[in-house]
């Protein structure tokens, strides 16, 4: 549960529902420090989907080598893939933030493999890892993301850099996956209880 009291660091890193969701409270913690927290939350709700679409444009252009017009189309499709940004509901903030961070991580990897900029590698690893610790939106596709760095590479040096980035990308995710799996397998946690209830209901419906 989000902590209304405490300092910024505690509010931003307190786990919400799952021990892996350490950064989900960050937008709300920042909103509480504005003159109008509700307006700040509404701005987060509307701005984040546009930023996600912008990262989709960059990825399509950088990693997939699509012309700018096609990359813009990819961004538009990303923007309209969900109607969350039309609902004015703050529920999607955590998911959009995780997706945005993950996409930024992918952009960092592609820039590193293509140009060899160390800041891009650091940026990609930090934002990609932060995505996992925000919410579980990218859990299943995270191990495949380094493939985008291979797509973006234009020569043998670029592919070598992509391998290095992919290795670090996976190594940094080990603590998250270890904690996530233990959480899922814990019968006393809400995820374990929900899974048991789903299994029980399925068996009742299809004996």
């Amino acid at each position: 549960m989000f902590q209304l009291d405490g300092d910024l660091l505690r509010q931003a890193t307190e786990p919400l529902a799952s021990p892996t969701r350490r950064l989900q409270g960050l937008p709300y913690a920042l909103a509480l420090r504005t003159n109008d927290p509700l307006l700040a939350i509404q701005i987060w709700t509307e701005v984040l989907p546009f930023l996600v679409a912008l990262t989709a444009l960059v990825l399509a252009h950088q990693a997939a080598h699509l012309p700018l017009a096609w990359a813009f189309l990819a961004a538009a499709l990303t923007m309209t893939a969900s109607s969350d940004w039309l609902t004015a509901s703050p529920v999607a903030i955590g998911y959009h933030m995780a997706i945005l961070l993950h996409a930024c991580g992918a952009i960092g990897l592609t820039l590193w493999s293509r140009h060899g900029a160390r800041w891009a590698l650091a940026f990609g690893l930090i934002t990609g890892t932060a995505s996992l610790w925000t919410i579980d939106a990218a859990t299943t596709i995270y191990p495949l993301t380094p493939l985008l760095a291979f797509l973006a590479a234009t020569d043998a040096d670029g592919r070598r850099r992509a391998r290095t980035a992919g290795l670090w990308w996976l190594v940094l995710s080990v603590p998250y996956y270890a904690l996530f799996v233990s959480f899922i397998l814990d019968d006393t946690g809400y995820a374990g209880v929900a899974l048991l209830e789903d299994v029980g209901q399925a068996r009742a419906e299809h004996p």
Side-chain angles (χ1 to χ4, degrees), residues 38-166:
L38 180 58
L39 176 61
I41 289 296
Q42 291 172 335
I43 292 174
W44 275 115
T45 303
E46 300 302 326
V47 168
L48 281 172
F50 284 95
L51 294 178
V52 170
L54 180 61
T55 57
L57 185 151
V58 174
L59 272 177
H61 191 53
Q62 286 278 340
H65 307 288
L66 292 179
L68 195 57
W70 286 100
F72 181 83
L73 177 60
L77 291 174
T78 301
M79 183 73 188
T80 56
S82 170
S83 60
D84 287 337
W85 63 285
L86 296 174
T87 64
S89 170
V91 175
I93 288 178
Y95 292 96
H96 284 143
M97 188 169 78
I99 294 169
L100 175 63
L101 287 169
H102 182 79
C104 286
I107 289 173
L109 295 192
T110 59
L111 289 175
W112 159 253
S113 67
R114 178 172 287 188
H115 305 295
R118 293 185 178 181
W119 69 264
L121 176 61
F123 173 77
L125 295 176
I126 290 171
T127 53
T129 304
S131 168
L132 291 176
W133 294 100
T134 300
I135 207 167
D136 316 311
T139 300
T140 55
I141 65 169
Y142 188 89
L144 302 177
T145 305
L147 294 176
L148 293 174
F150 280 96
L151 288 176
T154 55
D155 54 26
D157 286 340
R159 289 187 286 275
R160 176 182 52 79
R161 289 192 293 266
R163 286 194 294 271
T164 301

Side-chain angles (χ1 to χ4, degrees), residues 94 157 168 172 195:
D157 286 340
W168 278 108
L172 291 175
L195 288 173

